[in-house]
Amino acid sequence: EINFGIEIVKSKYNFSPEVIYLVGGGAKIPGINSILFDLLRIEIRIIDIKGKIKVSENIDPKYLNTITTQGAFALAAAVKEFI
């Protein structure tokens, strides 16, 4: 799936990505950045969305942990045309 995304970027924008940013639950897999780098030979960076987005103190932390991955997908979908 990652290779498919890379090919889309190559064909649509005529360049190869130099960095891949991982967010969400998959980014928490120990060593995932090294594994993906070995497979793709592209720099892999892990981003903690919770540290980048200000969230109201009124939101239950347990609920926030539940929806974190959904938030990552929503954010990726919102900005995909700008990447």
Side-chain angles (χ1 to χ4, degrees):
E1 185 132 351
I2 294 172
N3 277 327
F4 179 70
I6 291 170
E7 291 304 317
I8 289 173
V9 170
K10 285 180 179 179
S11 66
K12 186 172 182 179
Y13 299 106
N14 199 29
F15 74 91
S16 297
E18 297 176 2
V19 179
I20 293 176
Y21 295 91
L22 297 180
V23 295
K28 296 178 182 179
I29 298 170
I32 191 68
N33 52 343
S34 297
I35 293 167
L36 290 175
F37 176 79
D38 289 344
L39 291 170
L40 304 170
R41 295 292 175 205
I42 297 174
E43 180 182 355
I44 307 295
R45 295 183 188 170
I46 296 175
I47 297 178
D48 178 11
I49 287 182
K50 289 194 301 187
K52 306 292 182 197
I53 299 174
K54 187 173 182 169
V55 178
S56 171
E57 294 178 8
N58 296 330
I59 296 179
D60 180 3
K62 290 179 184 176
Y63 176 71
L64 188 59
N65 284 333
T66 301
I67 66 164
T68 298
T69 302
Q70 295 169 351
F73 285 120
L75 182 61
V79 300
K80 73 178 182 179
E81 289 301 319
F82 298 105
I83 297 176

